[in-house]
Amino acid sequence: MSDALKGADGALRCPWALSADDYVAYHDEEWGRPVHGDDALYERLCLEAFQSGLSWITILRRREGFRAAFAAFRIAEVATFTDADKERLLADTGIIRNRAKIEATVANARVLADWELGELDELIWSFAPDPATRPAPKSLSEVPAVTDESTALSKALKKRGIRFVGPTTAYALMQACGLVNDHLTDCASRKGAPKGAF
């Protein structure tokens, strides 16, 4: 048995998924599911960076505001943001108004705009560990905050000029984008993952 808890619908889920209503759909439909595509991965990278020092629910509840503010996280568009755009973002109550994180989001888009199509996707996914080496966690205490792979991913991204992506942020990205499956053993989302997802 794992620490998975039964939700209102009777399905077992990771305990964090039941701590707020907003989490249920995110947990069931997104978290741990494979994400591909440069823009999609850039969005997750940015949101994880904004989450640093905050709770994920804070970011999740502002996600549509972030998408509106940052041109749906289209790398080519964010890369053209000017100082005036940054000032606009600092005044936008629909997002987290942190100057350093806003600056990093724009700077990262400018770096990524010079990469080949699919290069971000390929780089990030090259750090996905072999699932056979990762036993399913039974409790949240068995879920790491940092791994050798996330540390290596963080270093690789930083070396290429990407900012605000430490090992913990890199691991959260890996969890959110399906590079690892940290749904607990008895979690319905682990058991009902699409074939080949993990």
Side-chain angles (χ1 to χ4, degrees):
M1 291 294 291
S2 77
D3 289 346
L5 299 176
K6 193 174 287 189
D9 59 359
L12 289 171
R13 292 182 176 87
C14 301
W16 63 264
L18 301 177
S19 62
D21 290 343
D22 306 68
Y23 275 147
V24 176
Y26 176 70
H27 168 274
D28 291 0
E29 299 165 18
E30 288 190 68
W31 192 76
R33 305 289 185 198
V35 174
H36 286 283
D38 293 345
D39 287 345
L41 288 165
Y42 169 67
E43 175 184 356
R44 303 316 195 284
L45 184 64
C46 293
L47 293 178
E48 294 296 346
F50 272 101
Q51 186 272 329
S52 180
L54 302 169
S55 66
W56 178 245
I57 197 72
T58 301
I59 303 304
L60 195 58
R61 288 176 175 162
R62 288 174 171 78
R63 191 172 185 182
E64 291 310 313
F66 275 108
R67 286 175 169 166
F70 287 100
F73 292 99
R74 290 184 291 271
I75 294 169
E77 290 187 42
V78 180
T80 68
F81 278 19
T82 63
D83 288 343
D85 287 307
K86 294 175 190 175
E87 292 305 314
R88 168 184 59 82
L89 292 165
L90 283 167
D92 190 336
T93 58
I95 65 170
I96 304 301
R97 296 174 292 171
N98 178 297
R99 183 177 294 277
K101 293 176 182 180
I102 289 170
E103 293 276 359
T105 300
V106 175
N108 289 345
R110 289 176 181 162
V111 169
L112 293 170
D114 289 335
W115 291 21
E116 295 293 327
L117 183 64
E119 194 171 350
L120 178 62
D121 189 307
E122 184 178 343
L123 176 66
I124 288 175
W125 276 89
S126 72
F127 290 92
D130 179 353
T133 66
R134 295 180 51 84
K138 293 181 180 179
S139 68
L140 294 180
S141 65
E142 294 177 13
V143 178
V146 175
T147 62
D148 290 344
E149 292 88 357
S150 75
T151 300
L153 173 57
S154 170
K155 287 179 181 176
L157 288 168
K158 286 179 179 178
K159 186 176 181 181
R160 300 286 300 275
I162 303 299
R163 294 160 43 183
F164 250 100
V165 61
T168 303
T169 297
Y171 192 67
L173 176 74
M174 293 172 76
Q175 291 175 303
C177 296
L179 280 76
V180 296
N181 181 0
D182 279 341
H183 285 287
L184 300 185
T185 308
D186 292 331
C187 176
S189 288
R190 184 178 195 93
K191 295 180 176 208
K195 286 187 177 179
F198 302 109

